[in-house]
Amino acid sequence: MSGRRRATAPERTGVLWWSGQIAAWLILLTILSVAAMMIVIPRIAGATAYTVLTASMEPGLPPGSLAVIRPQDPATLRTGDVITFQAESGKASVITHRIVGVGSTLGGELRFTTRGDANSANDPQVLPEQVRGSLWYKVPLLGHVNSALNGSQRQWLTISAIAGLLGYSTFMAVSALRDRFQRSRTL
């Protein structure tokens, strides 16, 4: 063998290599963050993620926002809270509006008056059994992703993100071990 240096793994000091590493990590972190906000955190907390479809709650909740609604005892709701409620008792369609008044019937049963922030008229009275919960957190634009995916697709997104992260970390660990072994052989 001549006095030439043996070819080893690419140098890990170049700007291009570091740029690629940073981009890869940012992509993975973004995917995990989106999956966490849309799926994991709501599921752990017993909350539900809804997509805002109309402009009735602008500017705070523009169309396309993801609104995560956490169950809450209707007796603890106050004026100013943003709630999601069934448009009609027992029906699947829901509305997310702000409580503008809390009252009760002569029999002492709670009633909520709600209105969208961008609306000029109140909604029909909301009964406690119609309330799905109150706004926990919101994420602009993420509702578009939520609308594009159904339940099983969201589950696959989470599994894919986890598998991608595990695969990438395994690749990085094997790469580091291989480089270490090659360096020790050349020294």
Side-chain angles (χ1 to χ4, degrees), residues 43-100:
R43 183 166 288 171
I44 289 171
T48 305
Y50 293 101
T51 300
V52 177
L53 300 175
T54 69
S56 68
M57 285 298 289
E58 282 189 319
L61 280 171
S65 295
L66 182 77
V68 178
I69 306 301
R70 185 167 41 186
Q72 186 170 343
D73 179 6
T76 65
L77 295 171
R78 302 287 174 249
T79 300
D81 290 344
V82 175
I83 63 170
T84 296
F85 57 93
Q86 294 171 316
E88 294 179 48
S89 288
K91 303 281 180 162
S93 65
V94 294
I95 299 170
T96 300
H97 281 170
R98 188 174 307 279
I99 296 175
V100 294

Side-chain angles (χ1 to χ4, degrees), residues 8 21 27 40 84-85 101 108 138 152 165 172 174 181 187:
T8 61
Q21 290 296 304
I27 290 168
V40 178
T84 296
F85 57 93
K138 59 187 176 180
S152 65
L165 207 109
M172 293 303 289
V174 168
F181 178 72
L187 295 178

Side-chain angles (χ1 to χ4, degrees), residues 110-129:
L110 275 174
R111 296 291 185 265
F112 300 101
T113 303
T114 60
R115 178 176 56 228
D117 291 349
N119 295 350
S120 57
N122 292 341
D123 303 319
Q125 294 261 301
V126 177
L127 307 173
E129 55 268 15

